[in-house]
Amino acid sequence: MMKRIVRELLVDVNSFEDSKKIELVIDNPFEEIRCDKPISVQLFLYKEKDSITVSGKVSTTVIEPCSRCLKPVKLQIEGNVEALYVNQSKLLSKSRSGPVGELDNTFLLSEDILDLSDRVIEAIIVEIPLKVLCSKDCKGLCPVCGTDLNENPNHRCETPKEPQDKWHSLLYNLKENIIKKDQ
C-alpha cells in the first residue's frame, strides 16, 4: 500500500521561528480509513532548541461496519494529536539518561521536513471503537445462512445435519461424540 503525500501536512521546520498553526480541511487521502466527510485538522507546532511539540485536534465522520450485522455505521470522530519530535542526537543522549525514549508519542526529528500525516491518521484510528454497533440491540446475522436478523426477527434456519467441508465435519463429529457420552 503506497502512502499518499498530503502537501499541507508537510512542514518545513525552518519555515517558522517559535510556533506555527495549521488549520485545514482535506478530503480523505488515507487508504486506512473511510470517511463520510472531509477531515478537519487544527495543529499547533511549538519549536524549542532541539525539539518540536505538535498538538491539536482532528475531526471527521468515519464509516465502519457493524460488528454484528456488517451494515455501515457513521461515527463522529474527535481525535487529539500529541507528539514530540526530538533531534536525533538529543534523543539518543537523553534516552540513555532519562524517560524521553519511553514516551509513546516521541519521534525522531532527522530531517527538516515533518510529515504529520501519520499523526492525523493515528488521531482518527485511536478514536474508533474496537466493536462498532449500529444499535446496542443489533441481532446480527444468522450463523448458518447469513440472513440479517434485524430485518427478519422471526427467521429460523435449519442447521444442516452434516457440514459440507472437512474441517466443520470434524467439529460436528466431535460435538456428536461429546453429546453421546453425556447421555
Side-chain angles (χ1 to χ4, degrees), residues 17-168:
E17 287 295 318
D18 298 325
S19 64
K20 180 178 182 90
K21 185 176 185 178
I22 299 172
E23 289 186 307
L24 62 124
V25 176
I26 54 174
D27 288 327
N28 181 19
F30 310 115
E31 295 176 8
E32 296 89 337
I33 51 177
R34 198 171 135 213
C35 294
D36 185 50
K37 68 177 195 177
I39 300 169
S40 174
V41 179
Q42 294 180 337
L43 299 175
F44 304 95
L45 288 76
Y46 303 99
K47 187 191 280 186
E48 294 182 23
K49 182 179 177 189
D50 296 316
S51 66
I52 297 176
T53 302
V54 180
S55 64
K57 301 225 178 272
V58 176
S59 63
T60 189
T61 301
V62 297
I63 301 172
E64 287 288 312
C66 174
S67 295
R68 294 182 187 161
C69 70
L70 303 178
K71 287 183 183 172
V73 178
K74 293 181 181 182
L75 301 169
Q76 181 63 37
I77 298 294
E78 299 287 332
N80 293 315
V81 175
E82 294 178 1
L84 175 65
Y85 288 86
V86 181
N87 185 311
Q88 183 174 5
S89 61
K90 294 297 179 185
L91 179 65
L92 292 174
S93 65
K94 286 183 181 180
S95 66
R96 291 186 192 118
S97 62
V100 173
E102 298 172 12
L103 298 174
D104 289 337
N105 59 352
T106 301
F107 302 95
L108 192 60
L109 180 59
S110 59
E111 299 178 13
D112 289 341
I113 303 291
L114 285 181
D115 183 356
L116 300 174
S117 300
D118 288 339
R119 306 297 77 80
V120 171
I121 294 170
E122 288 170 1
I124 295 170
I125 290 176
V126 165
E127 295 300 318
I128 298 173
L130 292 176
K131 187 173 185 178
V132 175
L133 296 177
C134 59
S135 69
K136 69 178 185 176
D137 59 342
C138 176
K139 294 179 181 20
L141 303 175
C142 173
V144 176
C145 69
T147 298
D148 187 339
L149 300 176
N150 298 306
E151 295 173 4
N152 301 303
N154 297 325
H155 172 74
R156 298 284 178 242
C157 200
E158 288 187 30
T159 306
K161 292 295 178 196
E162 288 206 36
Q164 302 297 323
D165 61 67
K166 183 178 179 180
W167 186 83
H168 285 96

Side-chain angles (χ1 to χ4, degrees), residues 159 169-181:
T159 306
S169 178
L170 292 171
L171 286 177
Y172 177 80
N173 290 336
L174 179 62
K175 178 183 167 189
E176 291 299 313
N177 288 336
I178 291 172
I179 291 172
K180 286 178 187 175
K181 287 180 182 178

